[in-house]
Amino acid sequence: MNKIHINKISEINRDKLINFYQKSFNYQKSELENFEWRYRFGFCNYESLALIVDNQICGHAGLIPVKLKLNKKVETAIWYTDFFISPGFRSRGYGKLLAEAWMKICPTQITICNNESLRIFKKLKWSYNNNFVRKIKIYNFHKIIPILRKNSQFEISYDSLGELKLEEQNINTIKEIVLIEQKNLEKKIVGIIRDESWFKWRVLDCPYKKNIFIFSYKNNYFILNLKTKNNLKILKLIYSTLPVGDEILKLFNPFVKKNKIDYLSYISREKRTNLNLPWKKKINFSFFSNDKFIMNEVDNHLDDIQYIDSDIDFL
């Protein structure tokens, strides 16, 4: 008989937990060790869970606590992330068991998930839509072929910014962003509340903020994450105060050219897309609440999800 426990991750030996993360998730070592920041420890009492079978960590259910605007009310929700069952323990009901424990933490849950996780969530009567897509704008097409890739150096030049202005990463910049964010949120029925404390956690306290850049253009702001992976130089537009379209993307052309960026990635709203292409991939946005009214409101009115809201800008 297997001994099964579900524990808060703060109750587990740190070295064992990091070792599990290293085997299970596609994070860099520094990102693995900063899980307290990633899961927003200290914001509230909600905490990620680990599944222990016979004293072995074999499953994980991460979460990021957030606030949602629902009509004129503020609701606490949790953004699910890093849901994983070790390969040797799959198809035994452990995924459903862990997800059910997850769901008891908070009555409202949202997530971006892969098809495997979505299959489990559907069994638990979650709703989902494909109203968002991850888009990629490729600049160096020859880099598509791995053998043609040379080592990409993490060197940044700010000589060619065009109409963009590089902003300092400080609380004053955050306050300016929040003013615009609040005005945008006022127009929405449902939205993620990105207030000053949220941006402070997500940007100013970020362990890899040396990779993050804040640009402004005509009283609007863009937050980008630059990283190298598989000899590719990748720029992720993780937050924008404006909807991202061709005109916005053109603003980054001088910076992209000067710094030899291979591609830029971002999330865009595009309802009911049925295509999955290398440069445009539909996203599974899944959600659940004990209150059916909240589920309907989230499904019909949540129209602004960006990389910065989840963990997928790390990958």
Side-chain angles (χ1 to χ4, degrees), residues 186-200:
E186 286 173 2
K187 304 171 188 174
K188 299 181 184 297
I189 296 174
V190 178
I192 296 168
I193 297 176
R194 309 179 184 111
D195 56 16
E196 188 175 312
S197 65
W198 188 93
F199 275 105
K200 182 180 180 299

Side-chain angles (χ1 to χ4, degrees), residues 27-74:
Y27 289 131
Q28 296 180 4
K29 189 173 185 297
S30 60
E31 294 165 346
L32 293 171
E33 294 174 347
N34 291 312
F35 63 86
E36 293 98 339
W37 171 82
R38 189 166 68 248
Y39 301 135
R40 207 180 180 189
F41 272 36
F43 176 71
C44 65
N45 294 325
Y46 300 150
E47 192 175 324
S48 303
L49 302 176
L51 176 69
I52 316 294
V53 178
D54 293 335
N55 295 318
Q56 179 183 349
I57 304 174
C58 68
H60 184 271
L63 63 86
I64 303 169
V66 296
K67 297 288 187 182
L68 289 181
K69 175 190 174 184
L70 286 157
N71 293 297
K72 294 183 179 180
K73 295 182 179 180
V74 175

Side-chain angles (χ1 to χ4, degrees), residues 83-87 89-91 95-96 99 113-123 284:
F83 184 66
F84 185 84
I85 302 295
S86 298
F89 294 86
R90 294 174 186 171
S91 301
K96 185 172 182 286
C113 61
N114 58 31
N115 290 333
E116 192 169 299
S117 295
L118 182 61
R119 179 176 57 82
I120 294 173
F121 295 149
K122 283 179 178 178
K123 291 180 180 178
N284 295 326

Side-chain angles (χ1 to χ4, degrees), residues 147-176:
I147 198 172
L148 297 179
R149 297 175 190 170
K150 298 179 181 179
N151 288 335
S152 295
Q153 301 297 319
F154 195 93
E155 297 175 354
I156 303 298
S157 170
Y158 304 107
D159 293 341
S160 299
L161 295 181
E163 296 181 84
L164 292 174
K165 178 186 175 184
L166 180 67
E167 299 287 347
E168 291 187 23
Q169 288 187 31
N170 58 35
I171 197 65
N172 291 328
T173 301
I174 294 302
K175 288 178 183 292
E176 292 297 324

Side-chain angles (χ1 to χ4, degrees), residues 14 23 49 52 76 96 100 103 129 140 162 172 185-186 190 198 209 217 223 227 241 248 255 267 274 293 300 307 310:
R14 183 182 177 86
K23 292 177 180 177
L49 302 176
I52 316 294
T76 301
K96 185 172 182 286
E100 286 174 338
M103 291 172 65
N129 63 48
N140 291 324
N172 291 328
L185 187 61
E186 286 173 2
V190 178
W198 188 93
K209 69 178 183 179
Y217 168 73
I223 304 177
K227 66 187 301 180
T241 54
I248 298 299
F255 179 79
I267 290 178
N274 293 316
F293 174 77
N300 294 322
Y307 271 134
S310 76

